[in-house]
Amino acid sequence: MSISLSNKQARQVILHLQGLTLSPHRTLGLEGLSDLILQLGFVQLDSIQWVERAQHMILFARSQAYRPAHLKRLLEKERFLFENWTHDASVIPCCYYPYWRHKFLRHKARLDSKFNDWQGGGYRDHCDDLLTRIEEQGSLRSRDLDRPDTGPQEMWQWHDGKAALEYLWRTGQLCIHGREGFQKVYALAEHGIPTEHYGTTVSHDEFVDWACRSALQRLGFGAAGDIARYWDLVSIAEARHWLENQNKECVELVEVEGIEKDSKQFYGRADISELVDNLPEIPGRVRALSPFDPVIRDRKRLEWLFGFEYRIEIYVPEAKRRWGYYVFPLLEGDRLIGRIDMRAKRKDDVLEVKSLWLEPKVKMSAARRSRLDAELVRQARLGGVNSVVWLEDAIKS
């Protein structure tokens, strides 16, 4: 007999496990930030700084006491985190590095083919020389390399030296030792990953068990595909096999109600009933979420549970965009109430609100406007500007 979760309970489970029931006013500091990232598992990186970069917005949404300098310190001084790939470039606790060794090995063949198709095979000739150079110098940036004059390049096309650095990083031979702005500084992995994590290995079975178990702990409930996609470490077939071989002490069958009252059966954490019985209240404030927030990332799951259709339109031609180049979902309590097109214009010292769209049946009451205004002040502070400016006719019907 499976456990049943109402749609509201399901949404609250997700938001709680993803750190959005934490008190946004609490003092965070380095220890609190470390605990938060361990809870999330990873934080996705992105270079676009429309208000702030994605990693900072993700963490700020969970605590307004978050400071970007603390993340930099955990990466570059404390060596608590390392950069590599989940489904995309992310910061990950170093204690998980032994599991990433399996990702490096199993994805090397795929990356060989991908880089050959994408960049051509010339990068291979640089790998050994770059490893020797980095060992001698201690670190290296792509801009330290001689770049051949090959004429105009496509947006994501790299010269062979840059491609070699990225290949060596993605296959675990290099690590990101630091960043200058958003420029990567590469070092040998054994010099950048703490010895106790770099020197630890786990078996294949331990790797699969950890990848599936830790994903389910953070999802609350899910199908094999949800579990495989969380870290992008194991295949759907491996996740399905793991689920089918767990007993009730590890997983429970859960019937989950969607936003349209249709239900689906998932595998849930063994303690899902206890988790639901002890869910804390979700702060009622309005929060702007990064397009790369873990709550937003799985678009199909998001739409089914929250009734919120979302896609990022940075690669969509302007004339074909429905919303805008870089639009932020707005969370109020346990509901996604709309989306906002805003940007920190640092030269003008303002957070400019270009457009706001509320979801159907969501009205702009005085209380909601007050909560939204308070969030915009917080976003302005995060973006390093002093005031908020609304453009004319910004609120859309």
Side-chain angles (χ1 to χ4, degrees), residues 22-42:
L22 299 170
S23 171
H25 303 288
R26 77 196 188 287
T27 300
L28 198 62
L30 288 176
E31 184 176 353
L33 180 58
S34 301
D35 291 342
L36 175 56
I37 297 173
L38 282 168
Q39 178 178 345
L40 298 175
F42 64 90

Side-chain angles (χ1 to χ4, degrees), residues 250-263:
C250 298
V251 299
E252 285 272 12
L253 290 178
V254 183
E255 197 79 18
V256 180
E257 182 184 54
I259 193 74
E260 300 295 335
K261 305 302 181 184
D262 56 323
S263 294

Side-chain angles (χ1 to χ4, degrees), residues 71-303:
L71 184 64
K72 185 176 180 67
R73 180 170 173 181
L74 287 179
L75 272 163
E76 298 181 10
K77 301 296 183 184
E78 305 295 329
R79 299 293 169 194
F80 176 78
L81 302 169
F82 72 102
E83 287 190 37
N84 212 271
W85 280 66
T86 52
H87 60 288
D88 212 316
S90 302
V91 291
I92 307 156
C94 281
C95 57
Y96 302 157
Y97 190 84
Y99 304 105
W100 255 256
R101 287 185 174 279
H102 290 263
K103 184 180 181 78
F104 301 148
L105 289 172
R106 62 172 48 194
H107 288 290
K108 185 178 183 300
R110 183 176 65 83
L111 285 172
D112 286 344
S113 175
K114 179 180 177 180
F115 270 59
N116 283 341
D117 292 344
W118 181 20
Q119 299 294 145
Y123 74 93
R124 292 175 173 274
D125 297 333
H126 294 259
C127 289
D128 289 342
D129 289 342
L130 285 175
L131 287 170
T132 299
R133 183 172 170 183
I134 292 172
E135 186 170 15
E136 292 172 350
Q137 295 181 190
S139 64
L140 192 69
R141 303 162 301 180
S142 63
R143 70 184 183 203
D144 296 327
L145 304 177
D146 293 330
R147 177 173 178 165
D149 184 9
T150 56
Q153 292 182 310
E154 297 297 326
M155 181 177 179
W156 296 111
Q157 184 181 0
W158 299 325
H159 60 84
D160 287 342
K162 168 65 174 173
L165 286 172
E166 285 288 309
Y167 173 82
L168 292 167
W169 168 54
R170 294 191 194 188
T171 55
Q173 297 172 77
L174 297 180
C175 69
I176 306 302
H177 194 260
R179 283 185 182 261
E180 297 175 3
F182 210 67
Q183 171 92 43
K184 295 171 184 170
V185 180
Y186 299 88
L188 296 180
E190 58 263 41
H191 295 165
I193 305 298
T195 303
E196 65 269 27
H197 305 309
Y198 185 81
T200 299
T201 59
V202 296
S203 70
H204 174 266
D205 289 346
E206 288 172 320
F207 158 68
V208 172
D209 181 70
W210 178 87
C212 295
R213 191 181 305 276
S214 60
L216 186 58
Q217 285 295 108
R218 290 167 173 82
L219 288 165
F221 55 86
D226 301 317
I227 289 170
R229 283 189 297 272
Y230 192 85
W231 300 108
D232 193 29
L233 290 173
V234 298
S235 68
I236 294 176
E238 286 174 314
R240 184 180 296 114
H241 182 266
W242 181 85
L243 286 166
E244 291 171 351
N245 284 276
Q246 303 304 304
N247 57 37
K248 281 195 68 175
E249 294 179 358
C250 298
V251 299
E252 285 272 12
L253 290 178
V254 183
E255 197 79 18
V256 180
E257 182 184 54
I259 193 74
E260 300 295 335
K261 305 302 181 184
D262 56 323
S263 294
K264 295 180 182 180
Q265 191 172 76
F266 295 100
Y267 290 94
R269 291 170 35 151
D271 64 346
I272 190 73
S273 293
E274 181 182 353
L275 182 66
V276 171
D277 290 342
N278 292 282
L279 284 171
E281 289 189 16
I282 298 173
R285 66 190 292 178
V286 171
R287 284 181 272 194
L289 301 182
S290 164
F292 304 107
D293 194 283
V295 170
I296 303 298
R297 180 168 60 91
D298 190 330
R299 309 290 196 242
K300 289 184 179 179
R301 183 175 165 105
L302 178 76
E303 188 170 359

Side-chain angles (χ1 to χ4, degrees), residues 350-385:
V350 299
L351 179 74
E352 181 185 87
V353 179
K354 182 178 179 181
S355 300
L356 169 71
W357 300 266
L358 294 177
E359 288 292 277
K361 300 181 182 180
V362 175
K363 304 300 180 184
M364 184 59 84
S365 65
R368 179 166 286 132
R369 178 59 189 260
S370 178
R371 289 192 288 270
L372 176 59
D373 286 342
E375 174 64 1
L376 293 178
V377 170
R378 290 188 288 267
Q379 291 296 321
R381 186 176 74 244
L382 176 65
V385 296

